[in-house]
């Protein structure tokens, strides 16, 4: 089960990269998406089902139209109405891009032309075609989508806690240079090892409790530095994850 989840997540991540990426990386990311399909029995079965008997040449004639203005060499794309046909149509486009039968740059400037810019044309293509394609696949596996959200939140939480550990080390060095009384320095020497250790072992609850104590310590010594405020602001993002 875990392997199935990871395989579907690889495909959805490839689609996320396509939606949020650039024209420069698109060919490689399309290949990544197709590779993820080939490695997943679940996805292979899904796309085999929607493309079984699918007449892609007829679909291209129906949905890739020549512009009314003659001589421009441009056209217009219509996305199929049925969700299964959207999956089949975009998947087949990916296959043609990947095998070189259709060139992505030519396709973009013909059907998604924006001021002659590959960047802007690709952004329009990604939003109008790849985004709905990805969202339909994600809807086919709602449980995997929820697990993916949990996994992404966990990764983000780890990133924030790692950054907090780094900043706490810098904060410790800053406070060490302050002209503190002996008892204040002793309190700092107790707080910082506990703070850094909590961040290091990813103990979010313990770290936030210790940071509350550290905030009062800074008020007690009358210190209001920008670096400390940035530290507290970063810690506050943990509540949103």
């Amino acid at each position: 089960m875990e392997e199935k989840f990871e395989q579907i997540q690889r495909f959805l991540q490839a689609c996320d990269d396509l939606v949020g990426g650039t024209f420069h990386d698109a060919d490689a990311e399309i290949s990544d998406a197709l590779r993820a399909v080939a490695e997943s029995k679940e996805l292979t079965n899904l796309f085999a089902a929607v493309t079984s008997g699918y007449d892609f040449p007829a679909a291209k004639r129906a949905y890739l139209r020549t512009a009314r203005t003659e001589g421009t060499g441009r056209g217009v794309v219509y996305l199929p109405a049925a969700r299964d046909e959207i999956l089949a149509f975009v998947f087949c486009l990916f296959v043609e891009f990947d095998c070189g039968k259709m060139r992505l740059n030519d396709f973009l400037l013909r059907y998604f032309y924006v001021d002659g810019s590959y960047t802007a044309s690709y952004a329009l293509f990604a939003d109008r075609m790849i985004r709905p394609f990805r969202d339909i696949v994600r809807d086919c596996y709602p449980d995997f989508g929820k697990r993916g959200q949990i996994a992404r939140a966990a990764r983000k939480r780890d990133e924030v806690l790692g950054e907090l550990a780094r900043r706490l080390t810098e904060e410790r060095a800053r406070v060490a240079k302050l002209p503190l009384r002996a008892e204040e320095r002793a309190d700092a020497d107790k707080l910082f090892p506990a703070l850094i250790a909590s961040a290091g072992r990813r103990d979010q609850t313990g770290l936030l409790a210790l940071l509350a104590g550290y905030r009062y310590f800074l008020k007690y010594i009358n210190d209001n530095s920008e670096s400390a405020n940035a530290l507290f602001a970063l810690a506050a993002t943990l509540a949103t994850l």
Side-chain angles (χ1 to χ4, degrees), residues 14-240:
C15 290
D16 287 344
D17 292 342
L18 280 163
V19 171
T22 64
F23 166 74
H24 177 75
D25 299 319
D27 284 329
E29 288 165 352
I30 287 172
S31 295
D32 287 345
L34 293 175
R35 194 176 302 113
V37 171
E39 292 172 355
S40 168
K41 183 178 179 181
E42 297 279 339
L43 291 170
T44 299
N45 290 342
L46 171 66
F47 288 109
V50 298
T51 57
S52 177
Y54 187 65
D55 190 344
F56 186 52
K60 285 195 290 186
R61 291 191 297 272
Y63 300 120
L64 304 180
R65 303 285 188 85
T66 302
R68 292 181 179 179
T69 304
E70 297 295 332
T72 63
R74 298 177 199 149
V76 61
V77 173
Y78 297 93
L79 203 62
R83 289 164 65 87
D84 60 339
E85 194 174 355
I86 291 174
L87 291 183
F89 184 63
V90 178
F91 178 77
C92 289
L93 279 178
F94 278 9
V95 172
E96 291 210 344
F97 293 145
D98 191 55
C99 72
K101 188 173 182 180
M102 189 184 304
R103 289 168 54 86
L104 179 61
N105 55 349
D106 294 338
F107 177 84
L108 292 175
L109 292 189
R110 181 173 179 83
Y111 295 107
F112 289 92
Y113 183 88
V114 180
D115 298 330
S117 165
Y118 286 125
T119 298
S121 299
Y122 175 76
L124 188 62
F125 163 66
D127 187 62
R128 291 189 179 177
M129 295 201 76
I130 303 177
R131 185 187 299 277
F133 169 78
R134 176 205 62 189
D135 291 347
I136 292 170
V137 175
R138 183 173 286 155
D139 288 346
C140 291
Y141 304 100
D143 291 339
F144 290 102
K146 291 174 185 176
R147 291 183 67 182
Q149 291 172 5
I150 293 170
R152 284 192 294 273
R155 286 195 297 271
K156 180 62 176 177
R157 189 180 301 111
D158 280 348
E159 290 174 6
V160 171
L161 287 165
E163 178 64 11
L164 284 168
R166 185 188 68 80
R167 293 195 185 194
L168 282 165
T169 300
E170 295 176 351
E171 183 72 358
R172 183 179 194 177
R174 183 188 73 81
V175 172
K177 297 176 183 178
L178 297 177
L180 301 178
R181 297 194 300 269
E183 63 271 21
E184 294 168 346
R185 193 163 303 282
D187 288 341
D189 289 342
K190 293 176 184 176
L191 269 172
F192 279 110
L195 282 163
I196 294 169
S198 291
R201 63 176 178 266
R202 303 301 192 255
D203 178 7
Q204 178 177 333
T205 302
L207 177 61
L208 293 177
L210 287 164
L211 281 171
Y214 181 58
R215 188 189 294 272
Y216 281 105
F217 171 78
L218 291 179
K219 288 182 179 179
Y220 177 73
I221 66 172
N222 197 28
D223 179 85
N224 185 28
S225 74
E226 291 184 5
S227 62
N229 290 333
L231 180 71
F232 294 131
L234 180 61
T237 65
L238 289 173
T240 67

Side-chain angles (χ1 to χ4, degrees), residues 4-17:
K4 290 181 181 179
F5 165 70
E6 291 175 356
Q7 290 168 343
I8 292 172
Q9 278 303 117
R10 279 198 291 272
F11 173 77
L12 292 175
Q13 182 59 57
C15 290
D16 287 344
D17 292 342

